[in-house]
Amino acid sequence: MDVKKLIDAAKCAQENAYSPYSNFCVGAALLCGDGKIYTGCNIENSSYSATVCAERTAFFKAISEGQKDFTAIAVIGSDDKICMPCGVCRQVISEFCGADFKIICANKTGEYKEYTLGKLLPFSFTLGENK
Ligand code: THU
């Protein structure tokens, strides 16, 4: 897996972030088992709870295109801190990915740390089989 390439794709998607309320721009790039990459950005709303994070945008694009097998996601934020996925996104990821799914978290300069879903969401809630 080319981590730099995935972070670059997330950075490109970040340019489309719609975040007039927080001014925090996030990009995500989701690598599928077949090598395809689906990107996403955060899309905010004046009714704040309608906001969608970059990670979920990328996942929902991929799933709606028929993808089922996911390898890794890169997430990039727009400040110096490494951008970690929020709890809702971790839960959504856990619906489709197993504990070894890779989550690459980057800051605005591309410095990154690599985690797994198992590390970021242990003992997750599920009604189905644990992946
Ligand atoms: N945000 C994401 O897109 N992904 C994350 O992992 C953390 C937060 C967005 C949501 C909102 O538009 C902005 O960042 C500030 O919370």
Side-chain angles (χ1 to χ4, degrees):
M1 185 189 52
D2 188 340
V3 172
K4 289 269 150 53
K5 185 179 163 194
L6 208 56
I7 292 173
D8 279 352
K11 207 175 172 60
C12 268
Q14 187 183 28
E15 286 172 22
N16 295 323
Y18 175 76
S19 50
Y21 303 103
S22 72
N23 289 313
F24 190 68
C25 300
V26 186
L30 174 62
L31 176 65
C32 300
D34 65 2
K36 276 195 194 154
I37 292 173
Y38 290 79
T39 60
C41 61
N42 54 331
I43 305 168
E44 297 187 346
N45 193 278
S46 56
S47 176
Y48 291 0
S49 65
T51 291
V52 181
C53 291
E55 298 90 318
R56 275 176 286 147
T57 303
F59 261 93
F60 294 156
K61 281 169 70 180
I63 290 156
S64 66
E65 297 289 322
Q67 294 287 349
K68 290 185 172 69
D69 181 29
F70 305 106
T71 307
I73 192 167
V75 189
I76 189 163
S78 58
D79 65 13
D80 290 332
K81 276 194 328 198
I82 300 272
C83 184
M84 302 299 293
C86 79
V88 174
C89 287
R90 294 178 200 199
Q91 178 65 28
V92 167
I93 293 169
S94 79
E95 185 73 27
F96 303 103
C97 302
D100 59 348
F101 177 75
K102 288 188 173 59
I103 302 179
I104 297 145
C105 304
N107 70 2
K108 69 174 181 195
T109 60
E111 285 176 285
Y112 68 91
K113 284 191 176 151
E114 202 173 309
Y115 302 93
T116 60
L117 180 63
K119 175 93 179 165
L120 297 188
L121 190 67
F123 309 111
S124 62
F125 174 77
T126 174
L127 289 175
E129 300 265 309
N130 262 311
K131 293 250 165 58

